[in-house]
Amino acid sequence: MTYLDEIDFHAAEFGDLYDELPLWSARFGLLLLDHVELRPGITILDVGAGTGFLSIELAQRCGAQARIIAVDPWQAAITRLSRKLKHLGLHNVRTLVQDAAEIDLPDASVDLIVSNLGLNNFENAAAALRTCFRVAKPSASLYLTTNLVGHMAEFYQAYRDVLIELDFTDRLAALNEHINHRATVDSVKALLERTGFQFVEAMTQSFRERFVDGSALLRHHFIRLGFLPAWKSIAPAGAVEQTFAALQRRLNAIAAERGELSLTIPVACIEARKPTRNGEPGA
């Protein structure tokens, strides 16, 4: 087995053994927790809850009278979340194994919707947001986080250089398409407005992911799970190993020159609101 082999996150034990995802998502979730509304008795929908980092925090921070509904299609993650809730003695979280586009909740039943990196992973983001709009009460707020265009720019510059070096310039368009599929604040705002929400504001910042070199980056479990499959699809068919051997050498050379490999992750927490019935944004 090499780092280029695929990781099966559908395996039954995966949700129990995997902690790198919470480590990654917490960076975004903490930004959301800095801004999200907290009040007693609130009903909160956590869309794309995963193993429950955000649901558990909100359940505790808002108190026992709050009601949290954690939704995710990943059964292993929800199973783990359910065990954590039992261990913690939290009784105000309900779990649903459902797709974000088909949440089985009544219309206008939720005070607040949160989604930590869900936008990145929804199969149909517009359909998911339309469902969120349906279940949101008039004047309900929505907070979502996402990484933005410019994500890991240092890595993608190295990848670009390697494609040129190996004379695989016909794959540069695929690289550009992959880079540009990331959100911008404007693209998220437009998506929210198309699905009925009113954009309120965007809070942005960035953090770094640091590795000793490119070999450590490419062998990191979360990188292999979350990013490597898409990176491999950019390389020419039949030349993935060649491309990544060259990419690893280039990243290692960058790390040797700079003392480490540091990747920039731009982040946004975006607030939106469902209008009241008279079309106003509400209080």
Side-chain angles (χ1 to χ4, degrees), residues 44-60:
I44 303 174
L45 174 64
D46 182 4
V47 184
T51 57
F53 156 72
L54 189 56
S55 292
I56 288 172
E57 283 299 314
L58 289 169
Q60 296 177 107

Side-chain angles (χ1 to χ4, degrees), residues 188-236:
V188 176
K189 177 182 177 182
L191 177 60
L192 289 166
E193 291 176 344
R194 285 199 304 274
T195 53
F197 286 99
Q198 293 181 337
F199 175 85
V200 177
E201 64 175 324
M203 292 69 71
T204 60
Q205 62 181 48
S206 66
F207 64 88
R208 293 185 301 153
E209 287 286 314
R210 301 169 60 231
F211 301 85
V212 69
D213 58 20
S215 299
L217 167 72
L218 294 172
R219 285 168 173 77
H220 192 284
H221 190 77
F222 177 69
I223 294 296
R224 289 178 59 207
L225 175 73
F227 297 101
L228 195 58
W231 293 349
K232 287 165 57 180
S233 72
I234 296 167

Side-chain angles (χ1 to χ4, degrees), residues 245-281:
L247 181 56
Q248 185 173 190
R249 289 193 298 270
R250 182 168 291 271
L251 293 169
N252 287 346
I254 292 170
E257 178 183 345
R258 301 177 184 176
E260 65 178 23
L261 183 63
S262 180
L263 306 179
T264 304
I265 316 294
V267 180
C269 176
I270 295 175
E271 178 188 359
R273 189 165 295 155
K274 181 174 181 176
T276 58
R277 289 185 176 86
N278 63 9
E280 295 300 320

Side-chain angles (χ1 to χ4, degrees), residues 52-163:
F53 156 72
L54 189 56
S55 292
I56 288 172
E57 283 299 314
L58 289 169
Q60 296 177 107
R61 295 184 187 209
C62 290
Q65 299 307 310
R67 177 173 176 248
I68 317 301
I69 305 164
V71 177
D72 201 288
W74 184 13
Q75 178 67 69
I78 292 296
T79 298
R80 181 176 179 182
L81 170 55
S82 297
R83 290 203 305 273
K84 289 196 289 185
L85 294 170
K86 182 177 180 180
H87 172 73
L88 294 169
L90 290 174
H91 304 290
N92 58 340
V93 180
R94 174 188 175 192
T95 60
L96 295 174
V97 182
Q98 293 179 357
D99 186 272
E102 300 175 352
I103 300 172
D104 185 18
L105 290 174
D107 294 356
S109 59
V110 173
D111 299 300
L112 170 66
I113 300 171
V114 296
S115 186
N116 190 35
L117 291 172
L119 190 66
N120 304 44
N121 299 299
F122 295 147
E123 186 173 340
N124 185 330
L129 287 172
R130 284 193 294 270
T131 297
C132 290
F133 186 85
R134 176 184 65 78
V135 303
K137 294 178 181 179
S139 79
S141 293
L142 178 149
Y143 289 81
L144 59 84
T145 62
T146 184
N147 43 350
L148 299 170
V149 167
H151 163 94
M152 294 189 183
E154 301 88 349
F155 170 85
Y156 289 113
Q157 183 58 56
Y159 205 152
R160 184 182 306 280
D161 292 342
V162 163
L163 291 176

